[in-house]
Amino acid sequence: MARSAFETITAAMDAPLVVVTTAVDDERAGCLVGFHAQSSIEPERYCLWLSKANHTYRVALRATHMCIHFLTDTDLPLAELFGTQTGDNVDKFAGLEVAIGEGGVPIVAGCAHRLVVRRVALLDENGDHVCISTEPVSSS
């Protein structure tokens, strides 16, 4: 398939963005994610694709849990914060009300729709993103 046809099809999908947070030891990370989807009904599974160029990817490789924050129209400032800054240089959690969930995962209190997940598997096909398959642990 021609690359331009692929780009045309994927651009038409208009998937919603989410903020994914994770932590290991004392290192917290979070980023804006456009590639994510439910991947199984039984057992329940949800997949995330993280950019290998991202600080959150490097932390997620060592973490057991993540929190997926499903954004609404009122969450634009949160999307901008996690999508335009790098955790390599900025503490994205500074000034935010953050709770700690299972596995030490940071949960942004101001985001009402959340899913805490545990990593089940990782798939790296040598692309610029890696797929992390997860199972839900809790939701709100």
Short mmCIF file of all heavy atoms in Angstrom, two decimals, residues 7 9 21 26 38 48 61 70 78 81 94 100 108 136:
data_model
loop_
_atom_site.label_atom_id
_atom_site.label_comp_id
_atom_site.label_asym_id
_atom_site.label_seq_id
_atom_site.Cartn_x
_atom_site.Cartn_y
_atom_site.Cartn_z
N GLU A 7 -1.48 7.11 5.13
CA GLU A 7 -1.60 8.36 5.88
C GLU A 7 -3.00 8.95 5.76
O GLU A 7 -3.54 9.49 6.73
CB GLU A 7 -0.55 9.36 5.40
CG GLU A 7 0.85 8.97 5.80
CD GLU A 7 1.92 9.84 5.18
OE1 GLU A 7 1.59 10.70 4.33
OE2 GLU A 7 3.09 9.66 5.53
N ILE A 9 -5.86 7.31 5.27
CA ILE A 9 -6.79 6.49 6.05
C ILE A 9 -6.62 6.76 7.54
O ILE A 9 -7.59 6.99 8.26
CB ILE A 9 -6.58 5.00 5.75
CG1 ILE A 9 -7.04 4.70 4.32
CG2 ILE A 9 -7.31 4.12 6.75
CD1 ILE A 9 -6.63 3.33 3.81
N THR A 21 0.25 8.02 32.65
CA THR A 21 1.26 8.27 33.68
C THR A 21 1.78 6.95 34.23
O THR A 21 1.08 5.93 34.19
CB THR A 21 0.68 9.11 34.84
OG1 THR A 21 -0.43 8.41 35.43
CG2 THR A 21 0.25 10.48 34.37
N ASP A 26 11.55 6.43 42.43
CA ASP A 26 11.15 7.82 42.66
C ASP A 26 10.98 8.59 41.36
O ASP A 26 10.86 9.82 41.38
CB ASP A 26 12.19 8.53 43.53
CG ASP A 26 12.19 8.01 44.95
OD1 ASP A 26 11.12 7.55 45.41
OD2 ASP A 26 13.25 8.03 45.60
N GLN A 38 -8.92 -0.74 23.31
CA GLN A 38 -9.28 -2.00 23.95
C GLN A 38 -8.84 -3.10 22.99
O GLN A 38 -9.03 -3.00 21.78
CB GLN A 38 -10.78 -2.07 24.18
CG GLN A 38 -11.22 -3.37 24.82
CD GLN A 38 -12.73 -3.42 25.05
OE1 GLN A 38 -13.44 -2.45 24.84
NE2 GLN A 38 -13.20 -4.57 25.45
N LEU A 48 -1.60 0.22 24.78
CA LEU A 48 -1.06 1.57 24.60
C LEU A 48 0.16 1.46 23.72
O LEU A 48 0.92 0.50 23.84
CB LEU A 48 -0.61 2.16 25.94
CG LEU A 48 -1.59 2.15 27.08
CD1 LEU A 48 -0.86 2.37 28.40
CD2 LEU A 48 -2.61 3.25 26.85
N LEU A 61 9.06 0.99 30.72
CA LEU A 61 9.75 -0.30 30.54
C LEU A 61 10.09 -0.95 31.87
O LEU A 61 10.19 -2.17 31.96
CB LEU A 61 11.04 -0.10 29.73
CG LEU A 61 10.89 0.19 28.26
CD1 LEU A 61 12.27 0.40 27.62
CD2 LEU A 61 10.13 -0.91 27.54
N PHE A 70 -8.50 9.50 30.55
CA PHE A 70 -9.31 9.78 29.37
C PHE A 70 -9.76 11.24 29.44
O PHE A 70 -10.44 11.63 30.38
CB PHE A 70 -10.49 8.81 29.29
CG PHE A 70 -10.04 7.39 29.09
CD1 PHE A 70 -9.75 6.58 30.18
CD2 PHE A 70 -9.87 6.88 27.81
CE1 PHE A 70 -9.31 5.28 30.00
CE2 PHE A 70 -9.44 5.57 27.62
CZ PHE A 70 -9.15 4.78 28.72
N LEU A 78 -4.30 20.05 30.59
CA LEU A 78 -3.60 18.81 30.93
C LEU A 78 -2.97 18.20 29.68
O LEU A 78 -1.81 17.76 29.70
CB LEU A 78 -4.57 17.83 31.58
CG LEU A 78 -3.99 16.63 32.28
CD1 LEU A 78 -3.12 17.04 33.45
CD2 LEU A 78 -5.11 15.71 32.75
N LEU A 81 0.08 20.30 28.76
CA LEU A 81 1.19 20.06 29.67
C LEU A 81 1.91 18.75 29.34
O LEU A 81 3.13 18.72 29.18
CB LEU A 81 0.69 20.03 31.12
CG LEU A 81 1.70 19.58 32.17
CD1 LEU A 81 2.85 20.58 32.26
CD2 LEU A 81 1.02 19.41 33.51
N ALA A 94 4.45 18.84 38.86
CA ALA A 94 4.57 20.00 39.77
C ALA A 94 3.32 20.85 39.65
O ALA A 94 2.89 21.20 38.56
CB ALA A 94 5.81 20.81 39.43
N ILE A 100 -1.57 8.58 44.60
CA ILE A 100 -0.73 7.44 44.24
C ILE A 100 -1.60 6.20 44.21
O ILE A 100 -2.26 5.86 45.20
CB ILE A 100 0.44 7.26 45.24
CG1 ILE A 100 1.27 8.54 45.32
CG2 ILE A 100 1.30 6.07 44.82
CD1 ILE A 100 1.86 8.99 43.99
N VAL A 108 -3.67 11.70 38.27
CA VAL A 108 -3.99 13.13 38.26
C VAL A 108 -5.44 13.29 38.73
O VAL A 108 -6.37 12.84 38.07
CB VAL A 108 -3.79 13.74 36.87
CG1 VAL A 108 -4.15 15.22 36.87
CG2 VAL A 108 -2.35 13.54 36.40
N PRO A 136 -6.83 -4.11 33.19
CA PRO A 136 -7.36 -3.14 34.13
C PRO A 136 -7.26 -3.62 35.57
O PRO A 136 -7.49 -4.80 35.87
CB PRO A 136 -8.83 -3.00 33.73
CG PRO A 136 -8.90 -3.51 32.33
CD PRO A 136 -7.84 -4.56 32.23
#
